[in-house]
Amino acid sequence: MSDNPLLRDAPYPPFDAIRPEHAEPAIDQVLAENRRRVAELAGQVRPTWASLVVPLEAIEERLERTWAPVSHLNAVMNSEAWREAYNRCLPKLTDYATELGQNEALYRAFRALREGEAYPRLEPAGQRLVDNALRDFRLSGVELAGPERARFRAIQEELARLGTRFEENLLDATQAWKRRASAEELAGLPETALALARRYAEREGVDGYLLTLEMPCYLAVMGHARSRALRREVYEAYVTRASDRGPHAGRFDNGPVMERILALRHEAARLLGFASYAELSLATKMASSVEEVLGFLRELARHSRPAAERELAELAAFARERDGLERLEAWDIAYYAERMREERLGLAEEALRPYFPLPRVLEGMFEVVRRLFGITVRPRAGVPVWHPDVSFHEIVDEDGTVLGGFWLDPYARPHKRGGAWMDECRARLRRDGAVQTPLAFLTCNFTPPVQGRPALLTHDEVLTLFHEFGHGLHHLLTRIDWPSVGGIRGVPWDAVELPSQFLENWCWEAEALALISGHYETGEPLPRALLERLRAARNFHAGLQMVRQLEFALFDMRLHAEYDPARGGRVYEILEAVREEVAVVRPPAFNRFAHGFSHIFAGGYGAGYYSYKWAEVLAADAYSAFEEAGVFDAATGRRFRREILEQGGAREPMALFVAFRGRPPRVEPLLRHSGIEPVQEQPQ
């Protein structure tokens, strides 16, 4: 198998050589070798850090290193061949992971290490690794008896398959819908969107314009199409994807998949002694209980819902005055919000695009992190890529040390999963006296270059890029040599969004905007008037945005906390109850949002979606340190790098936050940054 590119010990995965047929043989070989090595390691009488943890970290990282390119290519170059290869490997990996987690001999070895004399002398990262390992053994069912252990293992395998099926159904449903449109129907769309629709048509070999449900097209129609009928049609197609409603009703239906996922998660949690999957999920997070999470979300809702109600009433009045619209529907909100922002704030999102060409944004973003963290980001040629649009960059420290690198895959295209994300390719690892530098994937779905122009981003897309790069820095700047607690690994899910949301703040600062903006034709920076309008619009509809996220988070937590096997998932019953409590926008009955909620059903956020808001509190308060010291204050930036980015999961996130900020986090900066006035407690 030495000719298998996935098994080469090369500096970078040879993406130019990796094919679907390489996946299963490579995984089979690595799993077989790992199993033999685990059996040797688990049999130790007096395990030490060097004899147990160091070799185990190395073999687990080799497996991750082998699988990461396969998983990534399945997401960004999806095809029947890649899908089949991925799905053949997935149960084998799940089975291995469960087997490892239920390995009693290995569990005893870690317990012996924890109870031994050497444990107190381990560095904090080492102690946390051992403690996390013991916790994860228990959460993997190591203490279960025979039949229950076998059942838990079967559940984990089925859940892995179901998560993949959910994602595939959603991708297939998104790709299945296409609609030809006339120029008249597309009145109001900006030229960038029209050029994209023409490009879609050319791609499909048809004349005129073609609409799809890829995000750049969907957002353009919802925000700019004057035709209300077209907006409704596209909205319905989008919000009924992979469901029992809409233009492809029942064809890719995720309904049964959701029900089965919820049932199996609940059963697994009960086997481990938890009352619900929500409790199981929180066993590895900062938040201590379901009640704490619900209280946190409801407290934010108490402050933000009054603002959201005012904003929606103002928008409805605006639509009525402008166009005589008697009832504001879900497919009207983005359109009239954009018109209102244009008229009242003098700011059109599309007017900003020419000032945010992707090459300039990247150059400016790299300068921002250079000033903050003392690192240089530079392109590197000759590194294998999987598509011509992909580029590779490496991160270099002030002393010239290469700290890591990442691939940037920026544009939407067919057979590429929607959304934006950062994922690991390789982790930092010390082995044989040398350090393996980390590698990452940075993936977005921006509108590609059209008509000879560079890709022009909206300001929202600039925020997305900064967000994902923040995740990337967390992975790439780690100083922890052990993958289990380095980078983003070992970081509780409700703290892992801190660096990503933190970095977004520079997209609003005048000093940073001067770096990341420049007209694609003239190089002219964002004019002062536009800059001031952009900053004034920062909190436009902040209340509506806040309660929307709170709706998702409450729905997710309640869905998993209140599951009753006798009653089933009650997905839309619970969603409706949550909307009654916090939402101000009530979507139509055909809306099937949950059927496409891949974050919680396929993306690792099950009973954890609240993490975005939880970490946003941390991020806003962390940023307030720069508001006090200066947005490019080097000392504060280096302290954030040292205490947060370099530490990964080596210590409790609250301890890291306090080390940076000097105190526990406060919610006030988040409300202030959102332009939301705290609601005062009423006297009794």
Side-chain angles (χ1 to χ4, degrees), residues 9-13 61 65 380 392-397 400-407 424-431 434-440 472 475-481 483 489:
D9 192 13
Y12 308 100
E61 171 54 21
R65 203 165 67 235
R380 175 161 182 166
F392 183 83
H393 307 260
E394 59 185 15
I395 293 181
V396 184
D397 211 348
T401 303
V402 176
L403 299 172
F406 64 95
W407 289 266
E424 302 176 31
C425 177
R426 291 182 184 172
R428 178 182 169 106
L429 172 70
R430 184 174 294 277
R431 54 175 180 167
V435 173
Q436 171 182 284
T437 55
L439 299 173
H475 174 62
L476 297 168
L477 297 185
T478 189
R479 292 282 187 177
I480 307 303
D481 293 332
R489 293 194 213 171

Side-chain angles (χ1 to χ4, degrees), residues 108-357:
R108 285 194 298 270
F110 268 92
R111 280 173 52 186
L113 188 59
R114 175 66 176 83
E115 294 162 5
E117 295 178 359
Y119 174 84
R121 296 194 295 273
L122 291 176
E123 60 186 11
Q127 293 184 359
R128 189 157 171 85
L129 186 153
V130 173
D131 292 345
N132 285 357
L134 289 170
R135 176 202 66 195
D136 293 343
F137 275 116
R138 290 189 288 270
L139 296 181
S140 297
V142 74
E143 295 174 345
L144 295 177
E148 289 185 333
R149 179 183 294 189
R151 176 60 188 150
F152 185 86
R153 189 166 178 166
I155 288 171
Q156 298 307 111
E157 291 173 5
E158 188 175 354
L159 281 172
R161 291 194 299 271
L162 289 167
T164 301
R165 192 188 309 166
F166 187 99
E167 198 66 79
E168 288 174 354
N169 284 345
L170 188 58
L171 178 61
D172 290 345
T174 303
Q175 297 285 331
W177 190 90
K178 298 178 179 65
R179 183 193 187 282
R180 295 181 68 179
S182 66
E184 293 74 24
E185 285 182 297
L186 300 183
L189 263 67
E191 180 52 41
T192 53
L194 292 172
L196 187 62
R198 283 195 294 270
R199 178 170 171 165
Y200 288 158
E202 291 167 5
R203 191 172 74 193
E204 297 291 326
V206 297
D207 295 330
Y209 302 92
L210 189 72
L211 302 180
T212 76
L213 297 181
E214 291 176 23
M215 191 56 68
C217 183
Y218 172 72
L219 292 178
V221 172
M222 298 314 298
H224 300 284
R226 292 186 195 128
S227 168
R228 195 182 190 205
L230 179 64
R231 293 200 308 270
R232 187 195 189 285
E233 183 181 349
V234 173
Y235 171 86
E236 182 175 2
Y238 189 83
V239 302
T240 58
R241 290 175 304 156
S243 81
D244 57 339
R245 300 288 186 94
H248 293 112
R251 185 175 167 195
F252 311 103
D253 189 5
N254 268 332
V257 181
M258 293 189 293
E259 284 291 335
R260 187 65 178 155
I261 287 173
L262 292 170
L264 290 172
R265 285 176 176 173
H266 183 77
E267 185 183 355
R270 295 305 299 266
L271 283 170
L272 294 175
F274 294 94
S276 67
Y277 181 77
E279 286 190 7
L280 169 57
S281 171
L282 293 179
T284 58
K285 295 181 172 65
M286 284 180 73
S288 60
S289 68
V290 172
E291 291 70 28
E292 183 182 9
V293 172
L294 294 176
F296 165 73
L297 296 172
R298 285 169 173 149
E299 178 67 6
L300 282 179
R302 186 174 73 85
H303 293 298
S304 54
R305 191 175 184 191
E309 289 170 339
R310 286 193 301 272
E311 291 164 2
L312 187 63
E314 289 171 0
L315 187 64
F318 172 81
R320 191 163 51 248
E321 292 163 11
R322 186 181 188 274
D323 290 333
L325 198 71
E326 286 304 314
R327 180 181 171 85
L328 194 67
E329 300 286 0
W331 48 88
D332 300 318
I333 289 174
Y335 177 78
Y336 283 103
E338 187 62 23
R339 305 291 81 72
M340 186 176 177
R341 185 161 65 168
E342 288 171 1
E343 291 190 20
R344 298 200 176 170
L345 298 175
L347 185 73
E349 185 75 50
E350 287 299 315
L352 296 172
R353 271 193 200 270
Y355 292 96
F356 292 116

